[in-house]
Every structure is written in structure tokens, then in C-alpha cells.
Amino acid sequence: MTTRLRLSSTLVPGLLAGHALAAAPATVPQAECQVWQREFSFARSVADHDAVAFAQHLHPEAAFGVSRTPTRGRDAITREWMPLIQGTTLKLSWYPAVVTLGGDGRTAYSSGPALYEDPKTGESRIGRFGSVWHRGDDGVWRVLFDDGVSPQKADTAAIQRFHEGRREQCPAA
């Protein structure tokens, strides 16, 4: 093998790989913002009491409550969440504070605060959620795993901080 051929057979693939790596970060903010907006849309489905829209945000084989005995599958999760979706037991609000894209470009993690308000007692609690999103072959991001930290009683100042922390605009945009 000549020196020129050896150089081209090692240099060209290296340059191409470097080009691919250099190009990848440009797509990260866009994908993270897609998940950011999708998380807001997911929360809006609960606020709007829209079970169909809620279910459309779920991967067909999603698992919720993964740190305990999980609920598995879109239909089972939607059934379990129905009182929250309807707002009959609790009013649930949440928003992303962090979204991070995985190295495969098809997996992302979102996390943020969640506010639980009891319409009967007026008591409020604040917790945190963590969700793993998967982008399907159709390009749509759907929740694959979801869990949260048990909510703690919230005073007026904590509730105010929750509302003030809400940013609908993706910070990476």
C-alpha cells in the first residue's frame, strides 16, 4: 500500500467522522427543544382533561412508576391516570426544567417540578418528575419511562416559586 493510499484510507474516514461529530451538536438543541415542547404538550393534555391527547404522548410499551411496581402499557397507564386527567382527585401541573438528549439522538431525559393541588382540601404538594422519551420512526417523541419523587407539602412561597419557574420557551432555542 502506498503512503498516499494509507493516508487517504485513514485520513478521509477520520475527517468524515470528525465532520459527523462536529455536525451532531447542531441538532442537539433542536431535538432537546422538541422534547421540551412535547413535555409541555403532555402536561397540557392533563390540564385540558384530554385522555386521548394524554395517550398519544405515551410509547405503546411505556412504563410509569418505574421505581416501584410499574404500570406498563399505554392503555393501562391511561386508565390509571384517568382521575388525574379528569382532575377529580388532584389537579396536577408540571413543566420541564431540564431536557438532555442521549447519544443515540432518539432518547432524551426530561425532569422538572410537579405541583399537586387537592381541589377538596386546598392542600398543595410539590414533587419532581423524571421522564425518558423515545423518538419513534415517525419522528414523534413519546414517553417510554416515567417516575417521580414523592411530593412534599408546599407553602404559598413554594407554590409561587413553582409558577415563577415555568419557562415555556426552550432555553436551548
Side-chain angles (χ1 to χ4, degrees):
M1 186 180 282
T2 67
T3 304
R4 182 179 212 180
L5 185 55
R6 269 190 301 232
L7 277 176
S8 66
S9 65
T10 57
L11 186 59
V12 172
L15 287 173
L16 291 175
H19 176 70
L21 289 174
T27 62
V28 169
Q30 179 184 4
E32 288 177 349
C33 287
Q34 289 171 351
V35 175
W36 185 278
Q37 292 305 315
R38 192 75 169 142
E39 187 73 67
F40 267 103
S41 174
F42 189 35
R44 196 169 28 261
S45 72
V46 172
D48 292 345
H49 311 295
D50 188 341
V52 172
F54 176 87
Q56 290 172 345
H57 286 83
L58 303 177
H59 186 280
E61 302 303 321
F64 273 42
V66 296
S67 64
R68 355 180 239 294
T69 304
T71 302
R72 297 178 186 277
R74 177 185 289 152
D75 294 339
I77 294 165
T78 303
R79 273 193 308 278
E80 182 177 270
W81 275 62
M82 197 55 71
L84 286 169
I85 295 167
Q86 293 171 339
T88 55
T89 57
L90 288 173
K91 177 184 175 193
L92 175 59
S93 307
W94 76 90
Y95 55 83
V98 173
V99 172
T100 303
L101 187 69
D104 66 356
R106 297 174 61 98
T107 307
Y109 174 76
S110 64
S111 179
L115 175 64
Y116 301 77
E117 299 171 288
D118 187 325
K120 294 177 183 142
T121 67
E123 183 178 299
S124 295
R125 297 177 293 139
I126 293 181
R128 291 196 67 79
F129 74 89
S131 299
V132 174
W133 293 79
H134 178 264
R135 186 174 59 207
D137 292 339
D138 60 359
V140 176
W141 290 95
R142 292 181 182 86
V143 180
L144 184 59
F145 296 104
D146 184 80
D147 208 352
V149 174
S150 294
Q152 303 297 314
K153 190 171 179 153
D155 60 17
T156 304
I159 296 167
Q160 182 176 348
R161 284 191 302 274
F162 171 85
H163 290 296
E164 289 173 351
R166 181 183 175 93
R167 303 284 180 264
E168 289 199 38
Q169 182 65 35
C170 174

